[in-house]
């Protein structure tokens, strides 16, 4: 019989990492690798499934914060290291782990990055945000005009101190963006050290205040040209965003620039020739799980439309079941007839506005009426994007 336990010490954490890595078809961590991974473990947030004394499945969460439509920050659990040993799959182990984790989380919402898209819907996670991978032809990339501020290069030690502060100040403005915990920054620092050629530059405006940064690295070398990958890019205002793109696009010896951006980020319009920007892929990023549905529905703002009553079903957390009247002024639980009926994973899918009720109805994923009002209530001025991998 599967038993779920909370792990508390380093030896258990290391076994947890080994089981997870094996589930991902990787070998156990070396002693050197483990010293890098250890700071990413948070006590009381690490769960494992056991068969007797054997650890057979893993999951954990990180305490964070999440921006919701309207700009409010809510406590958030970043879910990671979800895995089941290959000889125990399809026996309910993952369901037991997910049920225990979701029922004990102190946070009203959780997100994860899905290794397989078909797994997490049955646990109430909905695909709520995607990114667009674009490639810029740096040889033809021309941005008219000059910078309005200044861009400076900083060393690793300075970046380790400054970037967490800058992220808190400028990196949590778009729905879907999250706070980064100490363990995340520790892992990011180690990844940069491994890369050796990772570079960070910081932007400051005319007033001298720092208001943006980007981290990038160059790889490949052919005919004195490199491919540049932008790995982290955050800004407080349009001028900082534009100036940092001017810096990146004018670097010598760079042939191509690759970056993941929000679906609606107007990168192409920066350049005199929009064709220098090519979309290579669109991929899912944010899988959202509304843990406390009433709280999360109250946390965000809504557009202008007549109220809509949504009947919600939540198989793992039945306390969320019920009917909710959503209006421009807020949300309340009601007993009246529902306009739309849907499961919790699809409410997560529409929560950030990445998809709409009408689109889900067209594909027969939900049923109901007054879909245009629901679309208007949940409409957002910006597409969701996180930009933080965990």
């Amino acid at each position: 019989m599967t038993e779920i336990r909370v792990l508390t010490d380093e030896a258990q954490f290391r076994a947890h990492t080994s089981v997870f890595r094996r589930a991902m078809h990787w070998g156990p961590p070396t002693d050197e690798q483990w010293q890098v991974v250890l700071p990413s473990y948070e006590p009381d947030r690490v769960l494992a499934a056991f068969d007797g004394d054997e650890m057979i499945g893993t999951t954990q969460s990180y305490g964070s914060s999440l921006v919701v439509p309207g700009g409010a920050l809510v406590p958030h659990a970043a879910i990671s290291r979800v895995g089941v040993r290959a000889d125990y799959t399809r026996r309910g182990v993952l369901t037991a782990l997910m049920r225990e984790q979701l029922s004990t989380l102190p946070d009203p919402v959780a997100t994860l990055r899905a290794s397989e898209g078909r797994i997490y819907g049955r646990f109430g996670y909905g695909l709520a945000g995607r990114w667009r991978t674009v490639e810029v032809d740096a040889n033809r990339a021309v941005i008219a005009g000059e910078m309005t501020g200044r861009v400076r290069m900083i060393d690793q030690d300075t970046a380790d101190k400054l970037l967490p502060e800058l992220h808190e100040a400028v990196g949590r403005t778009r729905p879907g963006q999250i706070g980064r915990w100490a363990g995340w920054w520790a892992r990011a620092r180690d990844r940069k050290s491994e890369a050796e050629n990772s570079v960070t530059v910081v932007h400051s405006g005319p007033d001298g205040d720092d208001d943006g940064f980007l981290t990038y690295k160059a790889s490949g070398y052919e005919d004195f040209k490199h491919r540049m990958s932008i790995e982290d890019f955050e800004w407080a205002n349009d001028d900082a965003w534009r100036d940092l793109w001017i810096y990146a696009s004018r670097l010598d010896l760079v042939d191509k620039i690759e970056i993941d951006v929000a679906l609606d980020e107007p990168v192409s319009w920066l350049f005199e020739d929009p064709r220098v920007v090519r979309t290579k892929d669109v991929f899912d990023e944010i899988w959202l799980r509304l843990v406390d549905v009433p709280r999360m529905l109250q946390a965000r703002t809504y557009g202008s439309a007549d109220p809509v009553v949504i009947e919600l079903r939540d198989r793992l957390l039945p306390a969320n079941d019920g009917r909710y009247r959503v209006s421009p002024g807020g949300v309340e639980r009601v007993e009246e007839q529902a306009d739309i009926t849907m499961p919790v994973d699809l409410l997560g899918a529409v929560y950030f506005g990445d998809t709409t009720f009408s689109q889900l109805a067209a594909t027969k994923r939900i049923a109901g009426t007054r879909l245009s009002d629901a679309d208007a209530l949940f409409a957002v001025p910006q597409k969701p994007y996180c930009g933080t991998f965990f």
Side-chain angles (χ1 to χ4, degrees):
M1 181 172 177
T2 301
E3 179 186 359
I4 308 301
R5 303 175 194 168
V6 179
L7 307 187
T8 58
D9 61 47
E10 181 177 343
Q12 291 177 321
F13 295 162
R14 184 160 184 173
H16 186 276
T17 289
S18 295
V19 171
F20 167 70
R21 287 176 62 91
R22 181 57 66 195
M24 300 298 289
H25 305 296
W26 305 329
T30 64
D31 290 345
E32 184 178 4
Q33 289 171 331
W34 174 241
Q35 292 309 308
V36 172
V37 172
L38 178 58
S40 68
Y41 274 88
E42 295 184 17
D44 303 321
R45 285 186 171 269
V46 186
L47 299 179
F50 285 83
D51 180 2
D53 293 330
E54 284 196 89
M55 189 182 300
I56 58 174
T58 62
T59 187
Q60 73 177 96
S61 67
Y62 305 107
S64 177
S65 57
L66 174 73
V67 182
V68 301
L73 280 172
V74 297
H76 158 250
I79 308 300
S80 188
R81 295 188 177 122
V82 180
V84 175
R85 225 171 67 178
D87 53 341
Y88 278 86
T89 57
R90 296 166 182 80
R91 299 190 195 179
V93 176
L94 185 56
T95 299
L97 279 166
M98 292 287 99
R99 189 187 303 276
E100 179 68 17
Q101 183 176 59
L102 291 170
S103 63
T104 58
L105 277 178
D107 317 289
V109 65
T111 67
L112 55 74
R113 305 294 178 261
S115 56
E116 290 188 67
R118 64 185 180 86
I119 293 176
Y120 291 99
R122 66 181 187 266
F123 305 123
Y125 286 87
L127 172 53
R130 297 165 292 157
W131 71 44
R132 182 166 60 108
T133 301
V134 301
E135 182 182 78
V136 179
D137 184 348
N139 295 315
R140 300 187 296 119
V142 178
I143 301 176
E146 299 303 322
M147 294 185 185
T148 60
R150 175 177 175 248
V151 173
R152 70 186 189 279
M153 191 178 295
I154 60 175
D155 59 32
Q156 177 83 46
D157 290 339
T158 303
D160 292 342
K161 296 174 183 176
L162 180 59
L163 294 197
E165 299 174 6
L166 260 180
H167 173 76
E168 291 299 297
V170 308
R172 295 187 298 169
T173 58
R174 181 186 283 265
Q177 291 182 313
I178 65 174
R180 295 173 176 176
W181 49 99
W184 188 95
W185 287 109
R187 294 286 285 134
R189 180 177 62 247
D190 288 315
R191 290 189 183 104
K192 289 176 186 174
S193 298
E194 292 171 4
E196 293 183 353
N197 63 337
S198 180
V199 177
T200 297
V201 297
V202 174
H203 180 270
S204 53
D207 58 5
D209 292 338
D210 294 335
D211 56 7
F213 68 90
L214 67 82
T215 296
Y216 65 91
K217 66 180 179 181
S219 61
Y221 190 76
E222 185 177 350
D223 296 330
F224 300 100
K225 292 287 188 177
H226 295 80
R227 171 178 289 272
M228 187 173 86
S229 174
I230 297 179
E231 301 179 321
D232 205 358
F233 191 175
E234 295 184 346
W235 61 91
N237 52 68
D238 292 344
D239 285 343
W241 173 69
R242 180 178 176 276
D243 283 359
L244 286 164
W245 265 112
I246 289 174
Y247 169 87
S249 64
R250 295 180 184 177
L251 281 172
D252 293 334
L253 305 181
V254 171
D255 186 48
K256 303 290 184 183
I257 302 169
E258 186 168 296
I259 183 174
D260 297 328
V261 300
L263 295 185
D264 58 355
E265 189 172 322
V267 180
S268 300
W269 294 104
L270 279 168
F271 301 97
E272 291 184 353
D273 180 0
R275 291 183 181 179
V276 303
V277 179
R278 179 175 69 92
T279 296
K280 294 181 64 178
D281 197 5
V282 175
F283 199 74
D284 55 270
E285 183 193 23
I286 305 169
W287 287 77
L288 182 74
R289 208 324 170 165
L290 302 174
V291 179
D292 185 337
V293 168
R295 182 174 174 183
M296 289 305 297
L297 286 176
Q298 285 286 6
R300 61 154 293 168
T301 58
Y302 296 94
S304 179
D306 289 335
V308 172
V309 177
I310 298 171
E311 182 171 355
L312 186 74
R313 302 185 303 271
D314 190 335
R315 185 171 61 87
L316 258 62
L317 301 177
N320 287 325
D321 286 353
R323 295 173 183 175
Y324 301 85
R325 182 196 290 121
V326 182
S327 70
V331 178
E332 61 179 331
R333 266 190 146 139
V334 296
E335 296 297 330
E336 60 197 73
Q337 183 174 347
D339 299 303
I340 297 170
T341 301
M342 65 196 311
V344 69
D345 61 312
L346 297 184
L347 183 61
V350 299
Y351 186 84
F352 283 142
D354 183 70
T355 191
T356 68
F357 292 84
S358 295
Q359 289 169 331
L360 293 177
T363 59
K364 307 301 182 184
R365 298 294 302 276
I366 65 173
T369 60
R370 305 196 44 241
L371 300 169
S372 60
D373 281 327
D375 292 345
L377 286 165
F378 281 77
V380 295
Q382 286 184 305
K383 287 290 188 181
Y385 177 68
C386 181
T388 298
F389 183 79
F390 53 89

